[in-house]
Amino acid sequence: MMSFTVVKLFTIFLVLDETSPFVNLVQDQGLNGVATMSASPANPAWTASKAIDGDTRQNYTLNSCAITDISHHHASVWWKVWLLRPFNIAYLEIYFRSDAYRNATGFSLYTYDTQVFNPPSDTKHLVYYHDPLSGCPASAINITVNRATQGVVFINMRPPGFTSSCQEADSLYTTINICEVKVMGCNQNRYGVGCLSECSNKCKDQHCDAFNGSCIHGCADPNALTLDCIVCSNGTYISSGMCVRCPGRCQGGVPCNKLTGRCDQGCEDKWTGQFCEDCIDGFYNRNCSGRCGSCVNDGVCDKISGHCTNGCQANYLQPLCQDCVPGFYGDDCETECGKCKNGAGCNQTSGLCSNGCRDHWVVPYCTDCEPYKYGPNCAFDCGHCKHDKPCSMDTGDCPSGCVDGWTGKHCLTVITDSDEQEKPEKPRFTTLSVVLIVLVIVLIGLVLFFIFDSKRRGSLQHATERPSDISETENQYSPETEKESEDSQTTLALL
Ligand SMILES: *[C@@H]1O[C@H](CO)[C@@H](O)[C@H](O)[C@H]1NC(C)=O
Ligand SMILES: *[C@@H]1O[C@H](CO)[C@@H](O)[C@H](O)[C@H]1NC(C)=O
Ligand SMILES: *[C@@H]1O[C@H](CO)[C@@H](O)[C@H](O)[C@H]1NC(C)=O
Ligand SMILES: *[C@@H]1O[C@H](CO)[C@@H](O)[C@H](O)[C@H]1NC(C)=O
Ligand SMILES: *[C@@H]1O[C@H](CO)[C@@H](O)[C@H](O)[C@H]1NC(C)=O
Ligand SMILES: *[C@@H]1O[C@H](CO)[C@@H](O)[C@H](O)[C@H]1NC(C)=O
Ligand SMILES: *[C@H]1O[C@@H](CO)[C@H](O)[C@@H](O)[C@@H]1NC(C)=O
């Protein structure tokens, strides 16, 4: 009859427990725990094991509760259950006696791993403490344990001066009034729905979170840092459960913090940002080794490409603004190149034309004309400068004059005779010309005189035809002719 009842209850609880993914470790599947308590039961039918009989009913008259003797006035009581073996306990469901649950105020729950455990000496095994100043406990409670352990202890004490905000609670004495404790969990290396999953052996002792399998009790490898027990090598850190490369450059090349990815001792030179993953202003590329070029307004370049987003200073080549545009060189790209061959640019730093110059220009800078050439393209030949000196390459002028026989600023003009008589010998020029002019005038005068004379003789024979014309002409010429003849006479005398 008794065994029938147990089997029947067992069946009932399998059905009731369908809502839970866990197994009742003191009752289900023949897992009979051993329950004890600190005082004798108030009634032989109310033993400690009544709290693990699978009957959760909370009416003590039904003889399904563990109840200690009230008459002995206990200031401290405990109830324990020792499981068949260690289990991964997920949570406890505790059902108090319905008419005395308030007296449970201030209770504590501990786990324990050796049967000689004497609560509450080992505080690190504390699972739950009901604060007596937080009011009365509920008549049925659900306490998360999430530990791999073999024993569970319920304990309640009334130390001197005990006070509780639970009005009906007894503040001097306490009793065990527990109708059921369901210990829900899995085998100690299992977890989750139906206890179907095995804890990772990365977890310390292969103990894991009973609900999600995380290594909440530590890792097998002491270098592992997270619940996933992933061990990241130097230079990587844990991100979303994976080891990923440190994003930045830490001071002294040390690896980043394996948990945070940050540089605990600061960034390497030229690096900045939360993870030291950015170049400081003015530097670029994956190493931050590139220095920005001459961006317009001394701006900062793109930290990856090095491009000056707003353009370059004058004469610099887009987009990096580091080289001069062809045709310019020097520290600020301000100097214009010479006339390099084929219109090539010169060396950006030195200004040299590496492949030589255009015709008539002098290597290596190609800024000067070959000697004896001048003009914008050095295409003109110098004239005949004095002392065989080259002319000015800009103007073609001869700096110290021309060789004899040449004249002009460029010394390209041959000096003719007239040139010589006009210019250098002024007195000779005047005397000679005067003499010549006088001679010519005298000659003309003589010729005219003879013509006039012969005509006058002829006209005497035809005087009646045109007398007035002849007399006028004679009147006009006669004084001049006299004067000129006088001049020519004096000139001749001088000669
Ligand atoms: C317990 O059960 C009995 C009958 O079985 C009933 O008379 C009583 O009221 C119940 N007590 C409580 C607290 O429910
Ligand atoms: C008790 O709490 C656990 C989670 O901690 C939950 O899975 C379970 O369903 C709860 N049981 C009851 C009866 O509320
Ligand atoms: C598993 O639950 C624990 C709390 O018990 C939590 O800290 C952890 O982040 C959870 N792990 C996952 C993977 O959700
Ligand atoms: C990892 O980095 C730390 C700190 O720089 C260093 O002490 C340790 O030797 C490194 N480990 C390996 C395997 O390089
Ligand atoms: C970055 O540095 C490494 C080694 O120091 C070198 O091999 C690589 O070429 C550098 N990359 C750039 C973009 O400078
Ligand atoms: C430019 O000249 C410098 C020396 O002044 C030399 O180091 C560099 O290689 C030259 N550049 C080219 C492109 O020839
Ligand atoms: C606490 O509960 C009340 C009823 O709610 C009882 O009358 C008390 O005797 C009981 N005290 C103890 C110590 O169990």
Side-chain angles (χ1 to χ4, degrees), residues 70 74 99-103 168-170 172-175 177:
I70 195 171
H74 301 290
D99 59 341
Y101 66 90
R102 294 180 186 88
N103 283 341
E168 299 88 349
D170 192 321
L172 288 175
Y173 307 108
T174 183
T175 47
N177 280 294

Side-chain angles (χ1 to χ4, degrees), residues 438-478:
V438 169
L439 278 174
V440 167
I441 289 168
V442 167
L443 278 171
I444 290 169
L446 285 173
V447 168
L448 285 173
F449 176 78
F450 284 119
I451 290 170
F452 183 74
D453 193 47
S454 62
K455 271 193 175 176
R456 193 177 58 179
R457 284 178 198 169
S459 69
L460 286 175
Q461 294 162 357
H462 312 286
T464 47
E465 286 177 34
R466 293 181 70 176
S468 58
D469 267 10
I470 292 161
S471 64
E472 270 176 28
T473 314
E474 204 183 46
N475 287 340
Q476 274 183 327
Y477 278 96
S478 61

